[in-house]
């Protein structure tokens, strides 16, 4: 049959030479390669003590941001929850009382805001969806835990620490 | 036979047994460390300084695990298997001379449990017995993977024993004795048998790899084909015994190789050291040297494990019967001819 392309290459399996057949030279070569690795510096990073430098667009744990006056930015619009492909976010909205003006920036805020870190795939769509620039995935790696319920992070873990009050 | 003799031997046996267990224990740790270093990793380093307590943690884990005996297993044999593996692994140490005799005052203490005049044959017999633990365990499990593994172990051991025996015959032509003590004494200084029997040594070490079921001949326990091999059904300390027996086997065969081919406790310049260090310290230095050789061999075992991929079953048989055995026979014949010629002139 006429070949479609002229890229065909016939491989011939050469019979092994004597040196190859007695196997020992190849063996010593292999051994010398492995022993050279014995003295190489290891690539391991001892994780909890040493942390690897992440790239600038690394997405880690979420944090709910505050504005320059220390008020929570989130207005519980639910766009993040809506955009979340993993359905990891739930929230309950509440209305701001007049005396809470120093706590929440908008009139409506999230009284409960939970992210299930086991569901989250760290896609960053919540961050993109947020109209208030309230959520960013700029934290560290989410730590491991023993129980599933401990992976549902509430506002206590998510909201950024307030700036030092004057 | 007086009471001091009994005490002396008892202490020696206890010490050797303890040392074998300790070395086997730390071989598991060393194996993981060596593997890690050869692969540019760190290995276990969390339990204690540099992970030194890792074997203890592993042992504790083994003890704590649930003990499962499959309902369809032959209970009695299932329990005998690991014990037999452990037993046969340990008794090989009895005839190895761990050092030249220590002289304290007028008393000469031999650092060898017993010097039977067929020491080499004894070792050989013990090594052949070691396959029974694997076979019985694999058969009693009533699991096809275990059975396949047992069959492999048996045929592999039988095949390689032939070549091993033949390589020893060539060695015996050189040494003219079967007693390990005399074999070691002949290798005084640097007259190591490996210099007279290099081919025999290579044959012997290849067979030793096969007999101890170490990579690249670890077919009886190759995970990719047989799950865990003969210990698939084992759990808890019974599994621990099997794994332990493997490391003790490695230790014993390293000791045998050091004794038969690498001069045992002999090292170049030992006469000078003996005059300087006195009759108590000098033998102990020899023992340290022997252990250094043993550790070097154990390291080599591990080094090879992380270098060479596992052989296929037919390749294994091909190597054993069609390559090693003819080579060993040729080695015997050539050695015999050379010795005859040397004696003539
Ligand atoms: S990062 Fe993605 S998956 Fe995680 S909460 Fe945000 S939108 Fe959902
Ligand atoms: S985090 Fe942003 S998107 Fe999500 S509810 Fe709050 S304001 Fe809306």
């Amino acid at each position: 049959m006429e070949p479609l392309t002229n890229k065909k290459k016939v491989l011939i399996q050469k019979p092994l030479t004597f040196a190859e057949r007695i196997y020992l030279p190849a063996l010593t070569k292999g051994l010398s390669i492995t022993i050279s690795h014995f003295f190489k510096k290891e690539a391991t990073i001892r994780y909890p003590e040493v942390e690897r430098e992440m790239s600038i667009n690394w997405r880690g744990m979420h944090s709910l941001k505050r504005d320059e006056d220390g008020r929570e930015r989130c207005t519980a619009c639910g766009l993040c929850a809506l955009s979340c492909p993993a359905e990891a976010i739930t929230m309950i909205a509440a209305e701001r009382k007049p005396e809470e003006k120093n706590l929440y920036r908008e009139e409506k805020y999230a009284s409960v805001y939970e992210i299930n870190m086991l569901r989250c795939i760290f896609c960053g769509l919540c961050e993109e969806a947020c109209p208030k620039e309230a959520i960013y995935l700029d934290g560290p790696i989410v730590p491991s835990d023993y129980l599933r319920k401990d992976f549902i992070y509430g506002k206590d873990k998510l909201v950024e620490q307030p700036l030092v009050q004057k | 036979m007086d009471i001091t003799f009994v005490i002396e031997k008892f202490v020696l046996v206890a010490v050797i047994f303890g040392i074998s267990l300790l070395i086997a224990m730390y071989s598991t740790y060393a194996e993981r460390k060596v593997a890690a270093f050869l692969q540019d990793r760190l290995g276990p380093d969390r339990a204690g300084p540099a992970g030194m307590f890792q074997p203890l943690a592993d042992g504790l884990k083994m003890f704590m695990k649930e003990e499962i005996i499959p309902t369809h297993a032959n209970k009695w044999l299932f329990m005998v298997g690991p014990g037999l593996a452990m037993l046969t692994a340990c008794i090989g140490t009895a005839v190895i001379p761990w050092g030249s005799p220590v002289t304290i005052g007028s008393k000469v203490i031999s650092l060898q449990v017993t010097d039977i005049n067929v020491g080499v044959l004894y070792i050989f017999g013990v090594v052949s017995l070691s396959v029974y633990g694997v076979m019985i365990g694999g058969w009693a499990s009533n699991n096809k993977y275990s059975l396949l593994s047992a069959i492999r172990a048996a045929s592999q051991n039988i095949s390689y024993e032939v070549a091993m025996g033949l390589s020893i015959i060539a060695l015996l032509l050189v040494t003219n004795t079967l007693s390990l003590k005399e074999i070691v004494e002949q290798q005084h200084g640097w007259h190591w048998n490996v210099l007279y029997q290099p081919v025999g040594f290579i044959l012997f070490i290849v067979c030793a790899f096969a007999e101890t079921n170490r990579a690249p001949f670890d077919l009886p326990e190759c995970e990719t084909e047989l799950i865990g091999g003969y210990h698939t059904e084992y759990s808890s300390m019974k599994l621990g015994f099997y794994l332990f027996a493997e490391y003790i086997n490695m230790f014993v065969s390293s000791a045998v190789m050091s004794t038969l081919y690498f001069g045992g406790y002999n090292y170049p310049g030992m006469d000078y050291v003996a005059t300087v260090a006195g009759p108590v310290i000098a033998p102990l230095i020899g023992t340290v040297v022997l252990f250094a050789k043993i550790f070097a061999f154990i390291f080599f075992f591990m080094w090879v494990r992380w270098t060479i991929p596992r052989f296929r079953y037919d390749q294994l048989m091909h190597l054993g019967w069609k390559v090693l055995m003819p080579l060993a026979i040729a080695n015997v014949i050539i050695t015999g001819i050379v010795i005859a010629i040397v004696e003539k002139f």
Side-chain angles (χ1 to χ4, degrees), chain B residues 34-65:
Chain B
V34 169
F37 287 150
L38 290 176
Q39 297 168 353
D40 296 343
R41 296 184 285 116
L42 276 173
D45 70 339
R46 296 281 152 169
M52 284 307 279
F53 301 139
Q54 189 66 40
L56 300 177
D58 288 344
L60 191 69
K61 186 200 83 174
M62 284 286 186
F63 270 114
M64 295 303 187
K65 285 269 174 174

Side-chain angles (χ1 to χ4, degrees), chain A residues 142-156:
Chain A
V142 175
S144 53
D145 221 322
Y146 291 100
L147 298 174
R148 281 176 177 269
K149 69 173 175 54
D150 293 336
F151 282 99
I152 300 173
Y153 281 22
K155 278 180 81 174
D156 54 327

Side-chain angles (χ1 to χ4, degrees), chain A residues 23-24 27 30-32 34-35 37-49, chain B residues 33-34 37-43 45-46 202 299-300 303-304 306-309 311:
Chain A
Y23 197 61
L24 289 177
L27 203 76
L31 287 173
S32 63
T34 42
I35 202 69
H37 279 267
F38 195 85
F39 303 104
K40 277 209 185 114
K41 208 176 126 35
E42 58 280 340
T44 312
I45 297 169
R46 297 161 185 260
Y47 165 56
E49 292 98 39
Chain B
K33 272 290 188 194
V34 169
F37 287 150
L38 290 176
Q39 297 168 353
D40 296 343
R41 296 184 285 116
L42 276 173
D45 70 339
R46 296 281 152 169
I202 290 172
F299 176 77
F300 186 68
W303 181 11
V304 167
W306 302 107
T307 303
I308 308 169
F311 275 61

Side-chain angles (χ1 to χ4, degrees), chain A residues 62 80 83-86 88-89 115 119-126 137:
Chain A
H62 313 64
C80 51
S83 69
C84 178
I89 305 179
I115 301 180
R119 294 202 69 127
C120 176
I121 53 170
F122 300 94
C123 61
L125 287 182
C126 47
L137 280 75

